[in-house]
Amino acid sequence: MPFVVTDSCIQCKYTDCVEVCPMDCFRQGPNFLVIVPDDCIDCSMCVPECPVGAIYNEIDLPDEQRHFVEINARLAAHPEWRPITRSQAPLPEHEEWRDVANKLEFLKLA
């Protein structure tokens, strides 16, 4: 089962996780990261690197986050979402957003 980036990443976009991914599975959009499901080897190395707990194994996803399986797959194939393999600074207002729940409405596609 692949790993999935969920709601907690939106508007924060911490990127420590991308540095440890041996398969370069992460793609980035304006304010969110996703994992390419077909490239993920289920190593779980990214999970402890996320400071907001946004990454789950698909089988462990809370029910209210299940829609992120489809979101990760769709956005990973989006032509404007490019690979990211090196850590970058989080978004400028990440501290204000890190504890906010239900941020899907703020997800920017391009």
Short mmCIF file of all heavy atoms in Angstrom, two decimals, residues 9 11-16 28 30-33 51-52 84 86-98:
data_model
loop_
_atom_site.label_atom_id
_atom_site.label_comp_id
_atom_site.label_asym_id
_atom_site.label_seq_id
_atom_site.Cartn_x
_atom_site.Cartn_y
_atom_site.Cartn_z
N CYS A 9 -0.94 18.86 5.52
CA CYS A 9 0.12 19.46 4.71
C CYS A 9 -0.33 20.76 4.02
O CYS A 9 0.49 21.63 3.74
CB CYS A 9 0.59 18.46 3.66
SG CYS A 9 1.94 19.03 2.60
N GLN A 11 -1.28 24.29 3.07
CA GLN A 11 -0.91 25.62 3.57
C GLN A 11 0.35 25.61 4.44
O GLN A 11 0.74 26.64 4.94
CB GLN A 11 -2.06 26.29 4.33
CG GLN A 11 -3.26 26.65 3.49
CD GLN A 11 -3.00 27.78 2.52
OE1 GLN A 11 -2.42 27.59 1.48
NE2 GLN A 11 -3.45 28.96 2.87
N CYS A 12 0.95 24.46 4.64
CA CYS A 12 2.21 24.37 5.40
C CYS A 12 3.35 23.98 4.46
O CYS A 12 4.34 24.66 4.36
CB CYS A 12 2.10 23.36 6.53
SG CYS A 12 0.92 23.82 7.81
N LYS A 13 3.16 22.84 3.80
CA LYS A 13 4.11 22.30 2.83
C LYS A 13 5.53 22.18 3.39
O LYS A 13 6.48 22.69 2.85
CB LYS A 13 4.09 23.14 1.55
CG LYS A 13 4.66 22.42 0.35
CD LYS A 13 4.37 23.23 -0.90
CE LYS A 13 5.55 23.27 -1.81
NZ LYS A 13 5.32 24.10 -2.98
N TYR A 14 5.61 21.44 4.50
CA TYR A 14 6.93 21.09 5.02
C TYR A 14 7.53 20.07 4.06
O TYR A 14 6.82 19.20 3.56
CB TYR A 14 6.81 20.49 6.42
CG TYR A 14 6.28 21.48 7.43
CD1 TYR A 14 4.97 21.42 7.87
CD2 TYR A 14 7.11 22.47 7.95
CE1 TYR A 14 4.49 22.33 8.81
CE2 TYR A 14 6.64 23.37 8.89
CZ TYR A 14 5.33 23.30 9.31
OH TYR A 14 4.86 24.18 10.23
N THR A 15 8.82 20.13 3.82
CA THR A 15 9.41 19.27 2.80
C THR A 15 10.54 18.38 3.31
O THR A 15 11.27 17.80 2.52
CB THR A 15 9.92 20.13 1.63
OG1 THR A 15 10.87 21.07 2.12
CG2 THR A 15 8.78 20.85 0.93
N ASP A 16 10.66 18.21 4.60
CA ASP A 16 11.68 17.32 5.15
C ASP A 16 11.51 15.90 4.61
O ASP A 16 12.49 15.18 4.41
CB ASP A 16 11.61 17.29 6.68
CG ASP A 16 11.74 18.66 7.31
OD1 ASP A 16 11.43 19.67 6.65
OD2 ASP A 16 12.14 18.73 8.47
N GLN A 28 5.08 18.43 -6.04
CA GLN A 28 4.65 19.62 -5.31
C GLN A 28 3.75 20.51 -6.13
O GLN A 28 3.94 20.68 -7.33
CB GLN A 28 5.84 20.42 -4.81
CG GLN A 28 6.68 21.06 -5.89
CD GLN A 28 7.73 21.96 -5.31
OE1 GLN A 28 7.54 22.57 -4.26
NE2 GLN A 28 8.86 22.04 -5.99
N PRO A 30 1.32 24.33 -5.43
CA PRO A 30 1.55 25.62 -4.77
C PRO A 30 1.56 25.57 -3.25
O PRO A 30 2.34 26.26 -2.61
CB PRO A 30 0.39 26.49 -5.27
CG PRO A 30 -0.11 25.83 -6.51
CD PRO A 30 0.19 24.37 -6.35
N ASN A 31 0.68 24.73 -2.64
CA ASN A 31 0.61 24.72 -1.18
C ASN A 31 0.39 23.33 -0.59
O ASN A 31 -0.17 23.18 0.50
CB ASN A 31 -0.48 25.68 -0.70
CG ASN A 31 -1.88 25.23 -1.06
OD1 ASN A 31 -2.08 24.38 -1.92
ND2 ASN A 31 -2.86 25.82 -0.41
N PHE A 32 0.88 22.30 -1.30
CA PHE A 32 0.63 20.93 -0.86
C PHE A 32 1.61 20.00 -1.57
O PHE A 32 2.09 20.31 -2.67
CB PHE A 32 -0.81 20.56 -1.23
CG PHE A 32 -1.32 19.23 -0.75
CD1 PHE A 32 -1.31 18.90 0.59
CD2 PHE A 32 -1.86 18.32 -1.66
CE1 PHE A 32 -1.82 17.67 1.03
CE2 PHE A 32 -2.38 17.11 -1.23
CZ PHE A 32 -2.36 16.79 0.12
N LEU A 33 1.91 18.88 -0.94
CA LEU A 33 2.71 17.82 -1.55
C LEU A 33 1.84 16.59 -1.72
O LEU A 33 0.90 16.38 -0.95
CB LEU A 33 3.89 17.44 -0.64
CG LEU A 33 4.93 18.49 -0.31
CD1 LEU A 33 5.92 17.93 0.71
CD2 LEU A 33 5.65 18.94 -1.56
N PRO A 51 6.52 17.07 10.32
CA PRO A 51 6.28 17.65 11.64
C PRO A 51 4.81 17.83 12.00
O PRO A 51 4.48 18.12 13.14
CB PRO A 51 6.99 19.00 11.57
CG PRO A 51 7.03 19.35 10.13
CD PRO A 51 7.11 18.05 9.40
N VAL A 52 3.91 17.64 11.02
CA VAL A 52 2.49 17.79 11.31
C VAL A 52 1.71 16.48 11.15
O VAL A 52 0.48 16.47 11.19
CB VAL A 52 1.84 18.91 10.44
CG1 VAL A 52 2.37 20.26 10.85
CG2 VAL A 52 2.05 18.66 8.96
N ILE A 84 9.77 16.93 -6.51
CA ILE A 84 10.56 17.66 -5.53
C ILE A 84 11.42 16.63 -4.79
O ILE A 84 10.91 15.63 -4.29
CB ILE A 84 9.69 18.49 -4.55
CG1 ILE A 84 10.56 19.19 -3.51
CG2 ILE A 84 8.58 17.66 -3.94
CD1 ILE A 84 9.82 20.18 -2.62
N ARG A 86 14.46 17.86 -2.95
CA ARG A 86 15.26 18.58 -1.95
C ARG A 86 14.34 19.40 -1.06
O ARG A 86 13.37 19.99 -1.53
CB ARG A 86 16.26 19.52 -2.63
CG ARG A 86 17.27 18.82 -3.47
CD ARG A 86 18.42 18.31 -2.62
NE ARG A 86 19.40 17.65 -3.46
CZ ARG A 86 19.81 16.42 -3.27
NH1 ARG A 86 19.34 15.70 -2.30
NH2 ARG A 86 20.71 15.89 -4.07
N SER A 87 14.70 19.46 0.18
CA SER A 87 13.92 20.23 1.14
C SER A 87 13.94 21.71 0.80
O SER A 87 14.94 22.24 0.33
CB SER A 87 14.49 20.00 2.55
OG SER A 87 13.69 20.64 3.50
N GLN A 88 12.82 22.35 1.03
CA GLN A 88 12.67 23.79 0.84
C GLN A 88 12.06 24.37 2.11
O GLN A 88 11.53 23.64 2.94
CB GLN A 88 11.74 24.08 -0.34
CG GLN A 88 12.18 23.50 -1.64
CD GLN A 88 11.11 23.65 -2.73
OE1 GLN A 88 10.01 24.11 -2.50
NE2 GLN A 88 11.46 23.21 -3.93
N ALA A 89 12.08 25.67 2.22
CA ALA A 89 11.45 26.32 3.36
C ALA A 89 9.94 26.08 3.29
O ALA A 89 9.37 26.04 2.20
CB ALA A 89 11.75 27.81 3.35
N PRO A 90 9.29 25.92 4.44
CA PRO A 90 7.83 25.80 4.41
C PRO A 90 7.20 27.10 3.95
O PRO A 90 7.89 28.13 3.82
CB PRO A 90 7.47 25.48 5.86
CG PRO A 90 8.62 25.95 6.67
CD PRO A 90 9.83 25.88 5.79
N LEU A 91 5.92 27.06 3.70
CA LEU A 91 5.21 28.26 3.27
C LEU A 91 5.31 29.35 4.34
O LEU A 91 5.41 29.04 5.54
CB LEU A 91 3.76 27.94 2.95
CG LEU A 91 3.58 27.00 1.75
CD1 LEU A 91 2.11 26.65 1.56
CD2 LEU A 91 4.16 27.60 0.49
N PRO A 92 5.28 30.61 3.95
CA PRO A 92 5.49 31.71 4.89
C PRO A 92 4.59 31.70 6.12
O PRO A 92 5.03 32.05 7.21
CB PRO A 92 5.25 32.96 4.04
CG PRO A 92 5.52 32.54 2.65
CD PRO A 92 5.12 31.09 2.58
N GLU A 93 3.35 31.30 5.98
CA GLU A 93 2.42 31.33 7.11
C GLU A 93 2.19 29.94 7.72
O GLU A 93 1.16 29.69 8.34
CB GLU A 93 1.09 31.95 6.66
CG GLU A 93 1.29 33.40 6.22
CD GLU A 93 0.03 34.02 5.66
OE1 GLU A 93 -0.99 33.31 5.51
OE2 GLU A 93 0.06 35.23 5.36
N HIS A 94 3.16 29.06 7.56
CA HIS A 94 3.00 27.67 8.02
C HIS A 94 2.66 27.56 9.50
O HIS A 94 1.87 26.71 9.89
CB HIS A 94 4.23 26.84 7.69
CG HIS A 94 5.45 27.24 8.42
ND1 HIS A 94 5.90 26.58 9.53
CD2 HIS A 94 6.34 28.26 8.20
CE1 HIS A 94 7.01 27.15 9.97
NE2 HIS A 94 7.29 28.18 9.18
N GLU A 95 3.23 28.40 10.33
CA GLU A 95 2.96 28.31 11.77
C GLU A 95 1.49 28.59 12.08
O GLU A 95 0.92 27.98 12.98
CB GLU A 95 3.85 29.29 12.54
CG GLU A 95 5.30 28.86 12.63
CD GLU A 95 5.51 27.61 13.48
OE1 GLU A 95 4.69 27.31 14.36
OE2 GLU A 95 6.51 26.91 13.23
N GLU A 96 0.88 29.49 11.35
CA GLU A 96 -0.53 29.82 11.57
C GLU A 96 -1.45 28.68 11.12
O GLU A 96 -2.57 28.55 11.62
CB GLU A 96 -0.91 31.09 10.82
CG GLU A 96 -0.16 32.32 11.29
CD GLU A 96 -0.38 33.51 10.38
OE1 GLU A 96 -1.44 33.61 9.74
OE2 GLU A 96 0.55 34.33 10.29
N TRP A 97 -1.01 27.86 10.18
CA TRP A 97 -1.84 26.81 9.59
C TRP A 97 -1.59 25.43 10.17
O TRP A 97 -2.41 24.54 9.99
CB TRP A 97 -1.61 26.76 8.09
CG TRP A 97 -2.23 27.90 7.37
CD1 TRP A 97 -1.62 29.06 6.97
CD2 TRP A 97 -3.58 28.01 6.96
NE1 TRP A 97 -2.51 29.88 6.33
CE2 TRP A 97 -3.73 29.26 6.31
CE3 TRP A 97 -4.70 27.17 7.07
CZ2 TRP A 97 -4.95 29.68 5.78
CZ3 TRP A 97 -5.89 27.59 6.53
CH2 TRP A 97 -6.02 28.83 5.91
N ARG A 98 -0.49 25.21 10.85
CA ARG A 98 -0.09 23.85 11.21
C ARG A 98 -1.09 23.10 12.08
O ARG A 98 -1.18 21.88 12.01
CB ARG A 98 1.32 23.80 11.79
CG ARG A 98 1.47 24.32 13.18
CD ARG A 98 2.91 24.25 13.67
NE ARG A 98 3.28 22.86 13.91
CZ ARG A 98 4.48 22.36 13.68
NH1 ARG A 98 5.44 23.13 13.25
NH2 ARG A 98 4.73 21.09 13.92
#
